[in-house]
Amino acid sequence: MTGDTQPSGRILDARLHLLDHQVLDRDDVPVMVVGDLELEDAEPGGPAPYVTSLVTGPVLGARIFGGRAPASRWQRLPWRLVADVGVVIKIAADAESLDLAWVERWVRDQVIARIPGGRHGP
Amino acid sequence: MNRAAAPPTVSRRNASRVAAPTCAVLAGMICACAVLGGCGAQAGRADGERAVIAVGDHLDEASSAVATAQLALESVRDGLLPAVTADATVGRAVESVTAAAHDLAALVPPAAARDAVQGRLTAWDAVADGVAAVAQARVALGADDDASLSDAIAELDDAGAALDDAASRLDAASRLRETR
Amino acid sequence: MNRLLGVALGILTAIGGFLDAGDLVTNAVVGSRFGLSLAWVVGLGIVGICVFAHMSGKVAAVSGRATFEVIRERLGPRAAGLNLVASLAVTVLTLIAEVGGIALALQLASSVDHRLWVPVAALAVWLVLWRVKFKVMENVTGLLGLTLIGFAVAVFLLGPDWGELAAGLAPSVPANESTTTYWYYAVALFGAAMTPYEVFFFSSGGVEEKWTVRDLATSRLNVLIGFPLGGFLSVAIAACAAIVLLPRGIAVDSMAQLVLPVAQAGGMLLVAVVIVGIAAATFGAALETALSTGYTLAQYLGWSWGKFRRPAHAARFHLSMIVALVVAVAVLATNVDPVAVTEYSVVFSAVALPLTYLPILVVANDPEYMGEHTNGRALNAVGSVYLVVLTVVALAAVPLMIVTRAGS
């Protein structure tokens, strides 16, 4: 690491441990795949920056085709919810309670739940 | 673990991530699709030699369809195949043989290539007989009596022989031209 | 019986690879034009798919991760996205062919025109996806698909000259076919054997069945029974066509011709058995490809997925499968030949094959995922050799298709 002082918190390799990893909620329901990271104190050559949130949504398009998604359309998952970083990232919350699950909720309420049998287990 | 720090420089450890030459591959695929689309359209005009080969191919297709119908009818006669299934099989054979006839009719050999023009005319007679015989086969399947089945099989047999004959005459004609 | 049901996933997966509507016809086409001179390709394909399906099953059992999640993780969004587009194209093209194939199989049994059966077939597929448990689905379609063994029975009943048949196994190009056409069909058969949706389906199926390290033996058994069986049956279909249709000058161009050798061999009863098998195999392959569509999209984008969840708890997953089925019905409504559709999937396999199998090999060697179950040296050696073969096949596929006009 660069700098004299060790940053507090765990040191992670953004690409190896975070980007494109699956995020699961506390009941192992998939929430999102990490599309990008929102960092704090990031300056080239400076000490390791802190991750403030995991981002998904239109940032995926920006990573594939280049450019930058407007910050207003980022779907953020605050880092304080993260419980564990391993092969998958676990969060200590229900997927249901998150803002970024609105597409899933919308599809469910407007389409899938309206088809007979949609709410029953197979 | 409240906050995590990520190193500002990308680590060398992630060699397993493969950078993709996305655009190049994508462009290649689009070109491939375009070329394929071009190949799909059958060229109507062909030079003499290619026309003779095409006539031969269409004869083979027609004779394959006639043989299919004949085998299906023989199986029904021998009690090996349900008439319902045979009808579906012969129905497909009708599509194949009419497709062969259509392609043969759409072929335009150059007027100077006498063997191709003549070959196409002979082939046409045989293929037209084939279409009639395969179409008649479905009538026989519907009638479901041994006499009409036997008639239809004989007709298919004749049509098949005529197609083989046309093919060998085409072969002989083109070989004659090669030796000249 | 339990043992047999335990390998249903492997059998169903292999049916989708070796015996789906397009491959049923391709096998017969190859048999009626090339005899058994291309059977070695099926052997090559069986070994390859066994090696990589084994790895993907192992990854699923040990780490609980399905294949496309791993692909996105290892290749990043761009290369994985390219793979997603190509794989989806292969999978949806195959799904179209399968729905059409079910309809054709039903026409063989009913003489009602297959175009009328298409919506019925699609609706039946959707109902199974919507309401039937994964376990029940794989057991029923896997077992019914086994009736395709009728083709192997037919080969025996036809009583061919075995020596001559065995001599035909040697790779050689028949006199009236060109070398490029021979290699086009070789690539098509190899691509069909290793088609990527098989590992997507197999690994996701392992997750659906909640495999753990203790199920490694089940996974291996599935691989070792399912794929060789699928390959064996595809060679049997080629042999049937080679024995009965090749001498009569019949070049197969439709599924309806598949029953002709069977009728010659075993009469009405065997024909009925084989028609059930064709219907079950195409139905199973339709389920496999429809589910794979949902699996790949959901795993790439991180949606909630799985048939073990209620549809409402995997809403986008189910919506994407519904969309795929609607697309299939819409394409079939244009009166396109369903089987001809699959010929074009070779183009997309070319991109998808290496991009699918490389990440599997990498992750199967990563101790963070696999703990003590990382690949042995022999498996890695074979896997690496196959990656080279896959790359060569991928590069050769499109030029061969253009030169031979898709084998015509």
Side-chain angles (χ1 to χ4, degrees):
Chain A
M1 287 304 310
T2 50
D4 298 327
T5 50
Q6 282 291 319
S8 58
R10 189 170 152 194
I11 297 180
L12 295 166
D13 183 315
R15 285 219 168 160
L16 198 62
H17 295 118
L18 297 175
L19 282 180
D20 298 312
H21 278 241
Q22 178 75 52
V23 180
L24 301 180
D25 83 348
R26 73 170 126 226
D27 301 318
D28 287 340
V29 177
V31 181
M32 61 183 250
V33 171
V34 180
D36 209 343
L37 304 171
E38 193 172 36
L39 302 178
E40 192 182 82
D41 307 333
E43 42 193 280
Y50 291 97
V51 177
T52 53
S53 49
L54 307 176
V55 188
T56 187
V59 288
L60 178 62
R63 272 182 73 205
I64 295 176
F65 300 108
R68 214 180 136 75
S72 60
R73 297 196 49 209
W74 290 12
Q75 296 169 16
R76 293 181 179 80
L77 183 74
W79 183 263
R80 65 186 149 73
L81 292 175
V82 172
D84 183 33
V85 178
V87 171
V88 292
I89 299 166
K90 297 269 283 184
I91 58 168
D94 279 330
E96 271 304 287
S97 64
L98 299 170
D99 282 348
L100 58 86
W102 69 271
V103 187
E104 180 79 14
R105 272 198 296 273
W106 189 87
V107 172
R108 183 187 63 206
D109 295 340
Q110 302 299 317
V111 187
I112 298 298
R114 295 187 178 200
I115 303 172
R119 287 190 183 279
H120 296 277
Chain B
M1 184 179 64
N2 236 345
R3 303 209 289 177
T9 48
V10 174
S11 135
R12 292 279 133 221
R13 279 181 59 203
N14 44 39
S16 59
R17 281 169 171 283
V18 179
T22 322
C23 294
V25 179
L26 213 61
M29 280 177 54
I30 291 168
C31 291
C33 291
V35 173
L36 283 175
C39 287
Q42 273 276 332
R45 291 183 183 278
D47 63 45
E49 200 177 338
R50 294 244 303 271
V52 171
I53 295 172
V55 170
D57 286 350
H58 298 322
L59 277 172
D60 286 348
E61 288 159 26
S63 112
S64 164
V66 168
T68 302
Q70 190 178 348
L71 184 58
L73 256 62
E74 284 169 1
S75 303
V76 172
R77 183 194 61 197
D78 301 341
L80 297 171
L81 189 67
V84 173
T85 312
D87 190 61
T89 312
V90 179
R92 270 306 305 235
V94 172
E95 283 177 34
S96 306
V97 76
T98 47
H102 172 269
D103 291 347
L104 194 63
L107 195 74
V108 186
R114 295 293 300 271
D115 54 342
V117 175
Q118 189 54 43
R120 202 266 295 270
L121 276 179
T122 327
W124 177 259
D125 286 340
V127 171
D129 283 352
V131 172
V134 177
Q136 191 60 29
R138 292 189 84 187
V139 178
L141 279 172
D144 199 27
D145 63 278
D146 284 351
S148 42
L149 270 180
S150 305
D151 287 352
I153 292 170
E155 206 177 318
L156 283 165
D157 204 31
D158 291 347
L163 283 164
D164 289 347
D165 188 43
S168 50
R169 274 160 66 187
L170 190 72
D171 258 6
S174 62
R175 223 172 295 131
L176 194 69
R177 192 181 56 165
E178 270 165 33
T179 53
R180 263 206 308 258
Chain C
M1 195 63 187
N2 262 343
R3 268 284 165 80
L4 189 61
L5 291 180
V7 297
L9 179 62
I11 293 173
L12 180 55
T13 311
I15 283 176
F18 289 89
L19 301 166
D20 68 84
D23 293 324
L24 284 170
V25 178
T26 306
N27 287 320
V29 168
V30 165
S32 70
R33 287 175 60 177
F34 301 93
L36 288 183
S37 61
L38 277 164
W40 64 273
V41 180
V42 177
L44 194 71
I46 292 173
V47 175
I49 189 67
C50 279
V51 166
F52 284 101
H54 171 64
M55 287 186 213
S56 75
K58 207 165 66 165
V59 172
V62 176
S63 70
R65 311 299 309 283
T67 296
F68 221 91
E69 298 175 1
V70 169
I71 291 176
R72 163 102 190 248
E73 236 172 75
R74 291 289 141 166
L75 296 180
R78 273 194 192 175
L82 186 66
N83 187 355
L84 179 75
V85 171
S87 301
L88 274 182
V90 175
T91 315
V92 173
L93 282 175
T94 314
L95 175 63
I96 294 168
E98 299 321 309
V99 175
I102 303 170
L104 285 170
L106 291 173
Q107 185 188 6
L108 286 178
S110 68
S111 89
V112 174
D113 192 275
H114 62 93
R115 294 169 195 89
L116 294 175
W117 279 118
V118 165
V120 180
L123 188 67
V125 170
W126 174 72
L127 276 174
V128 171
L129 294 173
W130 188 248
R131 293 299 303 158
V132 179
K133 276 196 170 70
F134 192 85
K135 196 85 210 163
V136 177
M137 175 195 93
E138 63 173 19
N139 287 347
V140 172
T141 47
L143 282 181
L144 281 178
L146 279 184
T147 51
L148 284 179
I149 287 176
F151 280 109
V153 175
V155 175
F156 281 94
L157 291 177
L158 285 168
D161 179 346
W162 292 102
E164 201 179 311
L165 204 63
L169 285 171
S172 65
V173 185
N176 53 346
E177 300 284 354
S178 72
T179 317
T180 44
T181 316
Y182 181 86
W183 284 106
Y184 170 74
Y185 277 106
V187 164
L189 282 179
F190 186 75
M194 299 211 59
T195 187
Y197 60 75
E198 285 176 282
V199 285
F200 303 151
F201 180 74
F202 188 67
S203 64
S204 305
V207 176
E208 295 256 22
E209 292 188 5
K210 306 210 164 31
W211 279 356
T212 62
V213 178
R214 272 180 300 176
D215 297 302
L216 279 175
T218 316
S219 166
R220 198 164 1 178
L221 203 65
N222 268 287
V223 168
L224 288 180
I225 293 180
F227 295 106
L229 185 69
F232 167 70
L233 291 181
S234 80
V235 174
I237 292 171
C240 276
I243 296 165
V244 174
L245 304 179
L246 181 63
R248 286 181 170 77
I250 298 176
V252 172
D253 58 3
S254 75
M255 193 186 261
Q257 285 157 312
L258 281 173
V259 295
L260 291 175
V262 179
Q264 290 297 308
M268 300 253 193
L269 183 65
L270 200 58
V271 168
V273 168
V274 161
I275 290 177
V276 170
I278 294 176
T282 46
F283 198 88
L287 294 171
E288 177 173 344
T289 44
L291 280 167
S292 291
T293 312
Y295 289 147
T296 46
L297 268 173
Q299 288 163 13
Y300 178 80
L301 293 164
W303 303 341
S304 171
W305 57 271
K307 262 181 75 57
F308 62 92
R309 295 193 165 94
R310 295 169 184 193
H313 291 168
R316 284 176 286 184
F317 169 69
H318 271 277
L319 182 64
S320 53
M321 294 194 294
I322 292 173
V323 170
L325 277 171
V326 170
V327 168
V329 173
V331 171
L332 288 168
T334 64
N335 213 3
V336 67
D337 177 7
V339 169
V341 164
T342 54
E343 284 175 356
Y344 294 92
S345 66
V346 173
V347 182
F348 299 102
S349 299
V351 181
L353 283 175
L355 288 182
T356 299
Y357 291 109
L358 174 66
I360 296 177
L361 185 64
V362 170
V363 166
N365 280 297
D366 188 337
E368 201 182 337
Y369 288 77
M370 303 301 294
E372 56 183 316
H373 298 284
T374 48
N375 280 349
R377 262 196 209 153
L379 200 57
N380 277 335
V382 180
S384 312
V385 170
Y386 266 92
L387 270 184
V388 176
V389 176
L390 282 168
T391 313
V392 172
V393 165
L395 291 174
V398 176
L400 276 175
M401 182 173 185
I402 294 171
V403 169
T404 63
R405 293 185 181 182
S408 63

